[in-house]
Amino acid sequence: MQAKPMRVLEVERVVRKLIGFIVTLTTIAAVYWIAPEYRRGFYAPYWAALYDTLPALLVAAPFYVAYVDRRQTDPEDSYAEIGAFVLSGAVPQRTEQIRQHVRGWIVKGFFLPLMFVYLCSTLGSILAGLEQPYRFDIMRWHAFAIDLLFMVDVLVAVVGYVFTLRVLDNHIRTVEPTVFGWLVCLACYEPINAATRAYLNYETGANWTAVMPSPALQVFWGSAILFCILIFVWSTVSFGLRFSNLTNRGIITCGPYRWIKHPAYVSKNLSWWLVSLPFLTAAGPAEALRHSAILLALNAIYALRAITEECHLSRDPDYVAYRDYISENGAVAQLKRLFAKASRSPIRRSG
Protein backbone atom coordinates (compact mmCIF):
# COMPACT_ATOMS: atom_id res chain seq x y z
CA MET A 1 0.00 0.00 0.00
CA GLN A 2 1.27 3.45 -0.95
CA ALA A 3 1.69 6.27 1.56
CA LYS A 4 0.07 8.83 -0.73
CA PRO A 5 -3.32 8.52 -2.47
CA MET A 6 -3.12 6.92 -5.91
CA ARG A 7 -6.64 7.73 -7.08
CA VAL A 8 -9.74 9.73 -6.29
CA LEU A 9 -12.32 8.31 -3.92
CA GLU A 10 -14.69 5.87 -5.65
CA VAL A 11 -17.77 5.68 -3.44
CA GLU A 12 -19.24 2.70 -5.31
CA ARG A 13 -16.21 0.51 -4.61
CA VAL A 14 -16.03 1.65 -0.99
CA VAL A 15 -19.69 0.66 -0.56
CA ARG A 16 -18.96 -2.76 -2.08
CA LYS A 17 -16.06 -3.24 0.33
CA LEU A 18 -18.15 -2.25 3.32
CA ILE A 19 -20.83 -4.73 2.28
CA GLY A 20 -18.14 -7.42 1.92
CA PHE A 21 -16.81 -6.54 5.36
CA ILE A 22 -20.27 -6.73 6.96
CA VAL A 23 -20.99 -10.06 5.24
CA THR A 24 -17.69 -11.41 6.58
CA LEU A 25 -18.44 -10.31 10.14
CA THR A 26 -21.99 -11.63 9.92
CA THR A 27 -20.74 -15.02 8.78
CA ILE A 28 -18.27 -15.20 11.69
CA ALA A 29 -21.03 -14.16 14.10
CA ALA A 30 -23.32 -16.89 12.73
CA VAL A 31 -20.64 -19.52 13.32
CA TYR A 32 -20.18 -18.28 16.89
CA TRP A 33 -23.94 -18.42 17.45
CA ILE A 34 -24.37 -21.93 15.99
CA ALA A 35 -21.27 -23.69 17.39
CA PRO A 36 -21.82 -25.12 20.90
CA GLU A 37 -18.17 -24.45 21.75
CA TYR A 38 -18.73 -20.70 21.82
CA ARG A 39 -21.70 -20.95 24.18
CA ARG A 40 -19.42 -22.00 27.04
CA GLY A 41 -18.87 -19.57 29.88
CA PHE A 42 -15.17 -19.84 29.05
CA TYR A 43 -15.70 -17.21 26.32
CA ALA A 44 -17.78 -14.77 28.41
CA PRO A 45 -14.97 -12.16 28.70
CA TYR A 46 -14.59 -12.12 24.92
CA TRP A 47 -18.31 -11.54 24.28
CA ALA A 48 -18.38 -8.71 26.83
CA ALA A 49 -15.42 -7.00 25.16
CA LEU A 50 -16.86 -7.58 21.69
CA TYR A 51 -20.22 -6.01 22.54
CA ASP A 52 -18.42 -2.95 23.93
CA THR A 53 -16.11 -2.44 20.94
CA LEU A 54 -18.24 -3.50 17.97
CA PRO A 55 -20.12 -0.17 17.65
CA ALA A 56 -16.83 1.76 17.47
CA LEU A 57 -15.55 -0.72 14.84
CA LEU A 58 -18.60 -0.20 12.65
CA VAL A 59 -18.31 3.59 12.91
CA ALA A 60 -14.60 3.59 12.04
CA ALA A 61 -14.88 1.06 9.20
CA PRO A 62 -16.11 3.44 6.44
CA PHE A 63 -13.31 5.93 7.11
CA TYR A 64 -10.65 3.23 7.20
CA VAL A 65 -11.90 1.51 4.03
CA ALA A 66 -12.03 4.83 2.15
CA TYR A 67 -8.51 5.71 3.33
CA VAL A 68 -7.03 2.36 2.29
CA ASP A 69 -8.94 2.16 -1.01
CA ARG A 70 -7.23 5.28 -2.35
CA ARG A 71 -3.79 3.87 -1.52
CA GLN A 72 -4.05 0.20 -2.52
CA THR A 73 -2.06 -0.86 -5.55
CA ASP A 74 -4.95 -3.15 -6.49
CA PRO A 75 -8.17 -1.86 -4.88
CA GLU A 76 -10.36 -4.69 -6.19
CA ASP A 77 -9.76 -6.88 -3.17
CA SER A 78 -11.80 -9.71 -1.62
CA TYR A 79 -14.18 -7.37 0.19
CA ALA A 80 -14.94 -5.58 -3.11
CA GLU A 81 -15.63 -8.87 -4.90
CA ILE A 82 -17.86 -10.16 -2.11
CA GLY A 83 -19.77 -6.85 -2.15
CA ALA A 84 -20.19 -7.06 -5.94
CA PHE A 85 -21.58 -10.58 -5.59
CA VAL A 86 -24.12 -9.43 -2.98
CA LEU A 87 -25.21 -6.38 -4.97
CA SER A 88 -25.29 -7.75 -8.52
CA GLY A 89 -24.57 -11.46 -8.37
CA ALA A 90 -21.18 -10.98 -10.04
CA VAL A 91 -19.22 -14.20 -9.58
CA PRO A 92 -15.81 -13.49 -8.01
CA GLN A 93 -13.02 -13.95 -10.55
CA ARG A 94 -10.10 -14.17 -8.14
CA THR A 95 -10.96 -17.43 -6.45
CA GLU A 96 -7.56 -17.87 -4.78
CA GLN A 97 -7.86 -14.38 -3.29
CA ILE A 98 -11.29 -15.27 -1.90
CA ARG A 99 -9.93 -18.52 -0.45
CA GLN A 100 -7.13 -16.61 1.27
CA HIS A 101 -9.73 -14.17 2.62
CA VAL A 102 -11.86 -16.98 4.06
CA ARG A 103 -8.91 -18.82 5.58
CA GLY A 104 -7.52 -15.60 7.05
CA TRP A 105 -10.78 -14.78 8.79
CA ILE A 106 -11.10 -18.35 10.08
CA VAL A 107 -7.69 -17.91 11.69
CA LYS A 108 -8.67 -14.63 13.30
CA GLY A 109 -12.14 -15.85 14.30
CA PHE A 110 -10.69 -18.94 15.96
CA PHE A 111 -7.61 -17.55 17.70
CA LEU A 112 -8.73 -14.07 18.81
CA PRO A 113 -11.35 -15.35 21.31
CA LEU A 114 -8.87 -17.87 22.72
CA MET A 115 -6.03 -15.37 23.14
CA PHE A 116 -8.34 -12.78 24.70
CA VAL A 117 -9.70 -15.27 27.24
CA TYR A 118 -6.16 -16.46 28.03
CA LEU A 119 -5.15 -12.83 28.57
CA CYS A 120 -8.04 -12.22 30.98
CA SER A 121 -7.29 -15.44 32.86
CA THR A 122 -3.58 -14.66 33.20
CA LEU A 123 -4.27 -11.09 34.25
CA GLY A 124 -6.68 -12.40 36.88
CA SER A 125 -3.98 -14.72 38.26
CA ILE A 126 -1.50 -11.85 38.46
CA LEU A 127 -3.92 -9.56 40.27
CA ALA A 128 -4.83 -12.35 42.70
CA GLY A 129 -1.14 -12.87 43.43
CA LEU A 130 -0.59 -9.18 44.10
CA GLU A 131 -3.46 -9.13 46.58
CA GLN A 132 -1.87 -11.82 48.74
CA PRO A 133 0.29 -10.75 51.71
CA TYR A 134 4.01 -10.80 51.05
CA ARG A 135 5.96 -13.89 52.06
CA PHE A 136 8.99 -15.55 50.57
CA ASP A 137 7.95 -18.70 48.73
CA ILE A 138 9.98 -19.80 45.75
CA MET A 139 7.06 -21.60 44.12
CA ARG A 140 4.73 -18.65 44.60
CA TRP A 141 7.13 -16.13 43.06
CA HIS A 142 8.14 -18.55 40.35
CA ALA A 143 4.47 -19.00 39.39
CA PHE A 144 3.96 -15.22 39.50
CA ALA A 145 6.90 -14.66 37.13
CA ILE A 146 5.53 -17.28 34.73
CA ASP A 147 2.07 -15.66 34.77
CA LEU A 148 3.66 -12.28 34.07
CA LEU A 149 5.61 -13.64 31.10
CA PHE A 150 2.59 -15.44 29.67
CA MET A 151 0.51 -12.27 30.05
CA VAL A 152 3.00 -10.48 27.81
CA ASP A 153 2.83 -13.37 25.35
CA VAL A 154 -0.96 -13.41 25.00
CA LEU A 155 -1.17 -9.61 25.06
CA VAL A 156 1.06 -9.45 21.98
CA ALA A 157 -1.06 -12.18 20.38
CA VAL A 158 -4.33 -10.31 21.04
CA VAL A 159 -2.95 -7.04 19.68
CA GLY A 160 -1.55 -8.85 16.64
CA TYR A 161 -4.89 -10.48 15.81
CA VAL A 162 -6.89 -7.30 16.36
CA PHE A 163 -4.67 -4.97 14.36
CA THR A 164 -4.31 -6.93 11.12
CA LEU A 165 -4.31 -3.85 8.91
CA ARG A 166 -2.88 -2.93 5.53
CA VAL A 167 -2.10 0.54 6.81
CA LEU A 168 0.35 -1.07 9.27
CA ASP A 169 1.75 -3.42 6.59
CA ASN A 170 1.02 -6.42 8.82
CA HIS A 171 -1.88 -7.78 6.78
CA ILE A 172 -2.08 -11.45 5.86
CA ARG A 173 -0.05 -12.34 2.79
CA THR A 174 -0.88 -16.05 2.67
CA VAL A 175 -2.55 -18.64 4.90
CA GLU A 176 -1.49 -22.25 5.52
CA PRO A 177 -2.94 -24.10 2.49
CA THR A 178 -2.93 -27.71 3.75
CA VAL A 179 -5.42 -29.51 5.96
CA PHE A 180 -2.58 -31.32 7.74
CA GLY A 181 -0.91 -28.01 8.59
CA TRP A 182 -4.15 -26.79 10.14
CA LEU A 183 -4.67 -30.02 12.09
CA VAL A 184 -1.25 -30.10 13.76
CA CYS A 185 -1.64 -26.44 14.72
CA LEU A 186 -5.20 -26.67 16.07
CA ALA A 187 -4.27 -29.81 18.04
CA CYS A 188 -2.30 -27.48 20.34
CA TYR A 189 -5.29 -25.25 21.21
CA GLU A 190 -8.74 -25.47 22.75
CA PRO A 191 -11.00 -27.34 22.27
CA ILE A 192 -8.88 -29.99 20.50
CA ASN A 193 -6.04 -29.47 22.96
CA ALA A 194 -8.17 -30.89 25.78
CA ALA A 195 -8.41 -34.20 23.96
CA THR A 196 -4.76 -34.06 22.93
CA ARG A 197 -3.57 -33.56 26.50
CA ALA A 198 -5.95 -36.25 27.77
CA TYR A 199 -4.40 -38.82 25.43
CA LEU A 200 -0.88 -37.41 25.76
CA ASN A 201 -0.82 -36.90 29.53
CA TYR A 202 2.88 -37.03 30.31
CA GLU A 203 2.71 -35.48 33.81
CA THR A 204 3.65 -37.74 36.69
CA GLY A 205 2.38 -35.46 39.44
CA ALA A 206 5.91 -34.86 40.69
CA ASN A 207 6.68 -31.36 41.97
CA TRP A 208 10.01 -30.24 40.57
CA THR A 209 10.86 -28.33 43.76
CA ALA A 210 10.33 -31.49 45.83
CA VAL A 211 12.65 -33.43 43.54
CA MET A 212 15.46 -30.89 43.92
CA PRO A 213 17.49 -31.80 47.07
CA SER A 214 18.66 -28.28 47.95
CA PRO A 215 17.40 -24.68 47.73
CA ALA A 216 20.37 -23.81 45.50
CA LEU A 217 19.40 -26.49 43.00
CA GLN A 218 15.77 -25.35 43.16
CA VAL A 219 16.83 -21.82 42.24
CA PHE A 220 18.98 -23.15 39.40
CA TRP A 221 16.23 -25.41 38.02
CA GLY A 222 13.55 -22.75 38.41
CA SER A 223 15.78 -20.23 36.64
CA ALA A 224 16.24 -22.67 33.75
CA ILE A 225 12.46 -22.98 33.42
CA LEU A 226 12.04 -19.21 33.48
CA PHE A 227 14.80 -18.82 30.89
CA CYS A 228 12.98 -21.17 28.50
CA ILE A 229 9.72 -19.30 28.96
CA LEU A 230 11.52 -15.98 28.54
CA ILE A 231 12.87 -17.16 25.16
CA PHE A 232 9.36 -18.30 24.22
CA VAL A 233 7.85 -14.91 25.09
CA TRP A 234 10.75 -13.05 23.44
CA SER A 235 9.93 -14.96 20.26
CA THR A 236 6.32 -13.77 20.41
CA VAL A 237 7.33 -10.17 21.14
CA SER A 238 9.67 -10.28 18.13
CA PHE A 239 6.61 -10.70 15.91
CA GLY A 240 5.00 -7.57 17.33
CA LEU A 241 1.89 -6.66 15.36
CA ARG A 242 2.61 -9.45 12.89
CA PHE A 243 1.96 -12.25 15.35
CA SER A 244 -0.43 -14.89 14.05
CA ASN A 245 -0.76 -18.64 13.67
CA LEU A 246 -1.09 -20.33 10.29
CA THR A 247 -0.32 -17.18 8.30
CA ASN A 248 2.51 -15.30 6.64
CA ARG A 249 2.28 -11.66 7.65
CA GLY A 250 5.90 -10.86 6.92
CA ILE A 251 9.07 -12.80 7.68
CA ILE A 252 10.58 -12.21 11.13
CA THR A 253 14.38 -12.22 11.40
CA CYS A 254 14.94 -10.31 14.66
CA GLY A 255 15.11 -11.41 18.30
CA PRO A 256 15.92 -15.10 18.81
CA TYR A 257 15.04 -15.72 15.15
CA ARG A 258 18.48 -14.34 14.32
CA TRP A 259 19.97 -17.65 15.53
CA ILE A 260 17.28 -20.33 15.14
CA LYS A 261 14.19 -20.79 12.99
CA HIS A 262 11.80 -22.01 15.69
CA PRO A 263 12.90 -20.60 19.06
CA ALA A 264 9.35 -20.52 20.46
CA TYR A 265 8.72 -24.22 19.81
CA VAL A 266 12.15 -25.32 21.04
CA SER A 267 11.97 -23.32 24.28
CA LYS A 268 8.34 -24.23 25.04
CA ASN A 269 8.92 -27.95 24.56
CA LEU A 270 12.12 -27.88 26.60
CA SER A 271 10.28 -26.12 29.44
CA TRP A 272 7.78 -29.00 29.58
CA TRP A 273 10.61 -31.44 30.22
CA LEU A 274 12.02 -29.24 32.96
CA VAL A 275 8.66 -28.68 34.67
CA SER A 276 7.15 -32.16 34.46
CA LEU A 277 10.29 -34.31 34.86
CA PRO A 278 8.61 -37.33 33.22
CA PHE A 279 11.81 -39.33 33.59
CA LEU A 280 11.57 -39.08 37.42
CA THR A 281 8.66 -40.94 38.97
CA ALA A 282 8.21 -43.08 42.06
CA ALA A 283 6.28 -45.60 39.94
CA GLY A 284 9.50 -47.04 38.55
CA PRO A 285 11.58 -46.95 35.36
CA ALA A 286 8.83 -48.42 33.16
CA GLU A 287 6.44 -45.57 34.01
CA ALA A 288 9.25 -43.05 33.61
CA LEU A 289 9.91 -44.40 30.12
CA ARG A 290 6.20 -44.33 29.28
CA HIS A 291 5.72 -40.71 30.37
CA SER A 292 8.86 -39.67 28.52
CA ALA A 293 7.58 -41.36 25.35
CA ILE A 294 4.26 -39.53 25.70
CA LEU A 295 6.00 -36.17 26.00
CA LEU A 296 8.12 -37.04 22.96
CA ALA A 297 4.87 -37.64 21.05
CA LEU A 298 3.68 -34.15 22.04
CA ASN A 299 7.06 -32.75 20.99
CA ALA A 300 6.53 -34.47 17.63
CA ILE A 301 3.33 -32.48 17.08
CA TYR A 302 5.32 -29.26 17.40
CA ALA A 303 7.99 -30.67 15.09
CA LEU A 304 5.25 -31.28 12.52
CA ARG A 305 4.02 -27.71 13.04
CA ALA A 306 7.51 -26.46 12.28
CA ILE A 307 7.75 -28.60 9.13
CA THR A 308 4.36 -27.53 7.77
CA GLU A 309 5.08 -23.88 8.54
CA GLU A 310 8.37 -24.06 6.67
CA CYS A 311 6.67 -25.64 3.67
CA HIS A 312 4.12 -22.83 3.66
CA LEU A 313 6.61 -20.00 4.17
CA SER A 314 9.02 -21.40 1.58
CA ARG A 315 6.72 -19.96 -1.08
CA ASP A 316 7.97 -16.54 0.03
CA PRO A 317 11.40 -15.59 -1.39
CA ASP A 318 12.13 -13.60 1.78
CA TYR A 319 11.76 -16.75 3.87
CA VAL A 320 13.95 -18.76 1.50
CA ALA A 321 16.69 -16.15 1.93
CA TYR A 322 16.22 -16.23 5.72
CA ARG A 323 16.30 -20.04 5.79
CA ASP A 324 19.51 -20.11 3.78
CA TYR A 325 21.07 -17.51 6.07
CA ILE A 326 20.22 -19.54 9.20
CA SER A 327 21.59 -22.69 7.57
CA GLU A 328 24.94 -20.93 7.13
CA ASN A 329 25.04 -18.59 10.14
CA GLY A 330 22.53 -19.84 12.72
CA ALA A 331 23.37 -21.21 16.14
CA VAL A 332 23.43 -24.84 14.95
CA ALA A 333 25.71 -24.00 12.01
CA GLN A 334 28.11 -22.11 14.28
CA LEU A 335 28.20 -24.99 16.79
CA LYS A 336 28.96 -27.43 13.97
CA ARG A 337 31.87 -25.26 12.80
CA LEU A 338 33.13 -24.93 16.36
CA PHE A 339 33.12 -28.70 16.93
CA ALA A 340 34.66 -29.32 13.52
CA LYS A 341 37.45 -26.87 14.31
CA ALA A 342 38.03 -28.47 17.71
CA SER A 343 38.19 -31.95 16.20
CA ARG A 344 40.83 -30.82 13.68
CA SER A 345 43.01 -29.16 16.33
CA PRO A 346 46.23 -31.15 17.05
CA ILE A 347 46.51 -32.74 20.49
CA ARG A 348 49.51 -31.51 22.41
CA ARG A 349 51.47 -34.15 24.24
CA SER A 350 53.89 -33.53 27.06
CA GLY A 351 57.18 -35.28 27.61
Side-chain angles (χ1 to χ4, degrees), residues 182-343:
W182 279 74
L183 287 177
V184 293
C185 178
L186 297 182
C188 303
Y189 297 94
E190 295 282 347
I192 302 175
N193 180 52
T196 303
R197 296 300 289 266
Y199 282 102
L200 299 179
N201 184 11
Y202 57 86
E203 296 179 354
T204 63
N207 186 318
W208 63 267
T209 56
V211 174
M212 302 298 119
S214 69
L217 189 54
Q218 290 179 1
V219 171
F220 170 79
W221 202 263
S223 298
I225 294 171
L226 285 175
F227 178 76
C228 288
I229 296 175
L230 180 63
I231 297 299
F232 170 72
V233 175
W234 185 20
S235 303
T236 302
V237 172
S238 298
F239 275 86
L241 294 177
R242 292 183 176 181
F243 179 85
S244 177
N245 286 293
L246 295 169
T247 63
N248 175 9
R249 294 172 61 184
I251 305 303
I252 305 301
T253 60
C254 60
Y257 290 92
R258 287 177 289 181
W259 301 289
I260 186 173
K261 287 183 291 185
H262 301 284
Y265 294 165
V266 172
S267 57
K268 176 187 266 189
N269 282 266
L270 180 57
S271 73
W272 289 340
W273 283 91
L274 297 176
V275 171
S276 62
L277 301 172
F279 43 85
L280 295 177
T281 174
E287 281 298 290
L289 179 61
R290 188 177 73 87
H291 283 94
S292 296
I294 292 173
L295 183 50
L296 283 172
L298 187 59
N299 298 153
I301 293 177
Y302 278 83
L304 291 172
R305 285 185 67 178
I307 292 170
T308 55
E309 285 177 9
E310 289 195 32
C311 290
H312 169 212
L313 295 176
S314 292
R315 303 180 181 192
D316 187 332
D318 290 341
Y319 182 79
V320 174
Y322 165 73
R323 181 191 62 196
D324 293 343
Y325 172 82
I326 292 295
S327 297
E328 292 295 325
N329 304 284
V332 174
Q334 293 187 33
L335 285 174
K336 286 182 178 179
R337 284 196 290 267
L338 182 63
F339 284 120
K341 183 178 179 180
S343 65

